[in-house]
Amino acid sequence: MRSSFFGNLDQGQVPGHFTLQNPKMLRVQLNGEVLARQGSMVAFQGQMDFDYEGGGVGKFLKKMVTGEGAPLMRVRGQGALLLADNAQDVHLFYLENEAITVNGTNLLAFDPQLAWDINRVQGAGMASGGLFNTTVSGTGWVAVTAHGSPALLDTSWGPTFADGQSAVCWSAGLKVGINRTFKAGALIGRGSGEAVQLAFQGQGFVLVQASEGPVVAQARG
């Protein structure tokens, strides 16, 4: 797997057409098709058609039941396509017969030959805020977004922990669990001193963003 995080992804050594126009905008040199988040097109040059991509009845039902999964469009044509999502940072991965699991809200675009599905995150309970994610697998490009410049953590270094709302994506082969900490004097904004993190073990990576997402308002009695 190769990643733009390192700043030296050699476009001449991998097939494809994904490049960073700038840190917050993806450029797809299109000669065929690409799958992208609905509403992410900011400009294009050339001839292109945009169609809704549902992924079939099974995936549609999974989206309805779980609330997971990015709303997708299929773009066909030739030319230069520019994609972005609320000026978030864009990060590229080139998969080589590999799989990653991505928070659906962070999925920006991917090559059409890649397989995707909505799957339960094994080992992660409801308290993690990440029970279901989108798995993308095969060989090709994937672009994800992050709030601010992300950090890429090498999980082979040792046990790795991340806030469930900060984890953007990770290697699909990692063992995922839940870690709980409790400090009565360190309230974290949700009315208790308990903090819950996703715990990762194995060979791979976790990409984390500089945000925990919106704070959920507490019900008052």
Side-chain angles (χ1 to χ4, degrees):
M1 183 182 298
R2 310 183 199 189
S3 167
S4 63
F5 179 87
F6 300 106
N8 60 354
L9 188 67
D10 189 343
Q11 300 289 335
Q13 294 181 4
V14 293
H17 44 267
F18 281 33
T19 58
L20 294 179
Q21 182 73 20
N22 58 56
K24 301 183 183 298
M25 191 175 297
L26 172 67
R27 180 186 181 95
V28 181
Q29 197 63 41
L30 192 60
N31 184 24
E33 299 182 354
V34 69
L35 291 173
R37 187 178 189 85
Q38 289 180 23
S40 62
M41 187 275 292
V42 294
F44 68 91
Q45 292 180 302
Q47 299 294 325
M48 297 186 192
D49 293 319
F50 299 81
D51 296 308
Y52 169 77
E53 176 67 23
V57 175
K59 292 173 184 174
F60 174 78
L61 291 176
K62 286 183 180 181
K63 286 183 181 181
M64 294 293 293
V65 171
T66 66
E68 170 60 25
L72 296 175
M73 61 182 178
R74 185 177 293 268
V75 188
R76 299 180 177 91
Q78 293 80 36
L81 173 65
L82 298 181
L83 303 172
D85 186 15
N86 292 319
Q88 297 184 69
D89 281 28
V90 180
H91 186 82
L92 298 181
F93 292 98
Y94 185 74
L95 306 184
E96 298 176 282
N97 196 27
E98 297 164 296
I100 60 174
T101 179
V102 186
N103 188 320
T105 60
N106 297 100
L107 185 59
L108 180 63
F110 56 95
D111 275 328
Q113 72 270 16
L114 292 171
W116 68 278
D117 202 354
I118 298 170
N119 295 309
R120 180 170 182 153
V121 179
Q122 298 297 324
M126 291 295 293
S128 71
L131 181 62
F132 291 90
N133 265 5
T134 301
T135 302
V136 182
S137 60
T139 297
W141 289 97
V142 181
V144 301
T145 58
H147 290 283
S149 298
L152 190 69
L153 306 178
D154 181 358
T155 55
S156 64
W157 186 85
T160 302
F161 307 92
D163 182 274
Q165 293 173 315
S166 296
V168 171
C169 62
W170 57 86
S171 302
L174 292 178
K175 181 180 179 181
V176 184
I178 294 297
N179 183 62
R180 299 176 186 273
T181 57
F182 185 87
K183 295 183 178 180
L187 303 184
I188 60 172
R190 287 185 167 85
S192 75
E194 184 178 43
V196 178
Q197 304 95 32
L198 291 174
F200 302 93
Q201 289 184 318
Q203 299 289 324
F205 75 91
V206 179
L207 186 73
V208 295
Q209 63 186 3
S211 170
E212 295 182 355
V215 175
V216 179
Q218 296 293 313
R220 297 179 179 272

